[in-house]
Amino acid sequence: MHYWGKVLGFIFGFMLFKLPGALLGVIIGYYFDKGYAKALSDNGGFARLLSGRNNLKNRMIFFHTLFSIMGHIAKSSGRVTENDIALASALMDKMGLSGELRQEAQNAYRAGKQADFPVAETVKEFKQYCFGRRDFLAVYFEIQLQAALANGQLHHNAESILTKIGKTLGFNPAEVATYISQAKASGQYQYQQKHQQHTQQSQQNQLPQLYQILGIEQSASDQAVKKAYKKLMAQHHPDKLASQGLPEQALTLAKERAQQIQAAYEIIKKSRGL
């Protein structure tokens, strides 16, 4: 919390004008604290301030949280299978993790599988590390969902854990439900892209999923479609995410998501004759 402006305002105001001055000083200090907090947030919070001096540590914090939660989710279905481990390794490969970062990710995954793994505390600490940057947290949550849905299915225990994680990160129930719906639609769309012929008819059949990828109903107005698209593209802008502290290895996944959003929007736009 930022309160030093109010404290100093009270002290100096009281020294100059006694109680009326103290009250005026608190009011001035309130607006100072508010402006200071916004300025810090707009510049990426503490993750941004630390990124230049301790970049390796910041990346380790990110990947430790990411893969420990992944291990915990994999274990939630009963046991961690060889397929679960292969999916985690594939994600590490996709991000290009090697050396210390890969070792940290592997250790974190093993830690997350333990019965006493403190999932709630881990997520809360990560949120504090991110200084509440919503776009950063949203992309992190999307990566978790993407990893959980890598095999095309989402176990009900995993969905329950992910729902709690989304709420702990600060998203309301409707937002969490939308993120999960988007991730499911994204996974289904990717699967169909790999296994079906790309015809005009197949694109028409995939329209419901494409609307879900944008997080809107198929009955949405043209203006609502465009607004949803712009919001998602801004949320996944690589320069913005990098400035907020998202490791370069994770930016690859954010860029892939942006490409999928772009593709979904283009097909929807074409189907509407826009």
Side-chain angles (χ1 to χ4, degrees):
M1 294 181 63
H2 304 284
Y3 51 81
W4 283 110
K6 293 188 283 291
V7 172
L8 293 174
F10 176 87
I11 293 172
F12 287 114
F14 185 82
M15 289 172 61
L16 293 173
F17 303 109
K18 301 301 180 182
L19 185 59
L23 294 175
L24 180 61
V26 169
I27 294 173
I28 294 173
Y30 165 78
Y31 286 104
F32 174 85
D33 290 336
K34 187 176 180 181
Y36 171 74
K38 184 178 186 302
L40 185 59
S41 177
D42 287 345
N43 283 282
F46 291 116
R48 172 60 174 165
L49 293 176
L50 293 173
S51 61
R53 292 181 297 153
N54 210 354
N55 200 31
L56 179 60
K57 180 181 177 182
N58 291 333
R59 284 181 289 170
M60 283 186 168
I61 291 172
F62 180 89
F63 290 117
H64 176 85
T65 307
L66 179 66
F67 284 98
S68 62
I69 297 296
M70 281 180 59
H72 183 71
I73 290 173
K75 182 67 174 179
S76 69
S77 61
R79 69 184 185 90
V80 178
T81 66
E82 291 183 3
N83 186 48
D84 291 325
I85 296 173
L87 291 173
S89 296
L91 184 59
M92 294 178 199
D93 291 338
K94 194 172 188 178
M95 290 182 172
L97 298 188
S98 60
E100 290 183 87
L101 286 177
R102 192 178 187 96
Q103 187 63 51
E104 174 63 25
Q106 292 170 338
N107 292 339
Y109 191 84
R110 284 191 288 269
K113 295 188 294 182
Q114 301 304 311
D116 59 349
F117 175 70
V119 59
E121 291 79 2
T122 300
V123 176
K124 287 178 182 177
E125 289 177 2
F126 178 70
K127 183 182 177 182
Q128 292 176 348
Y129 155 77
C130 297
F131 200 67
R133 298 297 295 167
R134 285 182 66 84
D135 289 346
F136 184 104
L137 293 170
V139 170
Y140 167 83
F141 190 45
E142 284 181 347
I143 294 174
Q144 285 288 4
L145 288 167
Q146 180 180 335
L149 282 158
N151 61 359
Q153 298 178 342
L154 187 61
H155 192 277
H156 64 274
N157 288 345
E159 184 163 353
S160 177
I161 293 171
L162 286 164
T163 298
K164 292 177 182 177
I165 288 173
K167 291 178 181 178
T168 302
L169 290 174
F171 302 113
N172 64 47
E175 289 174 321
V176 172
T178 297
Y179 282 126
I180 292 176
S181 175
Q182 286 175 309
K184 288 180 177 179
S186 176
Q188 292 170 357
Y189 180 71
Q190 287 180 331
Y191 177 84
Q192 291 171 351
Q193 288 290 96
K194 290 180 181 177
H195 296 87
Q196 293 183 1
Q197 292 183 339
H198 307 310
T199 64
Q200 186 173 0
Q201 182 62 39
S202 68
Q203 288 183 349
Q204 288 296 322
N205 294 335
Q206 292 169 355
L207 277 175
Q209 292 172 356
L210 298 176
Y211 279 98
Q212 279 186 300
I213 288 173
L214 296 187
I216 54 177
E217 298 290 338
Q218 196 163 350
S219 58
S221 66
D222 293 344
Q223 184 178 4
V225 171
K226 188 174 183 179
K227 182 179 179 181
Y229 163 71
K230 286 187 173 181
K231 179 181 178 181
L232 287 171
M233 290 301 290
Q235 187 181 79
H236 293 82
H237 195 286
D239 293 340
K240 180 179 181 181
L241 291 170
S243 72
Q244 292 180 0
L246 188 70
E248 57 183 317
Q249 293 87 349
L251 281 173
T252 301
L253 301 180
K255 290 176 182 178
E256 286 185 3
R257 173 74 173 137
Q259 290 170 355
Q260 189 181 65
I261 292 166
Q262 177 76 51
Y265 177 67
E266 291 300 328
I267 295 173
I268 289 173
K269 189 168 66 170
K270 185 177 180 180
S271 72
R272 289 178 172 236
L274 299 178

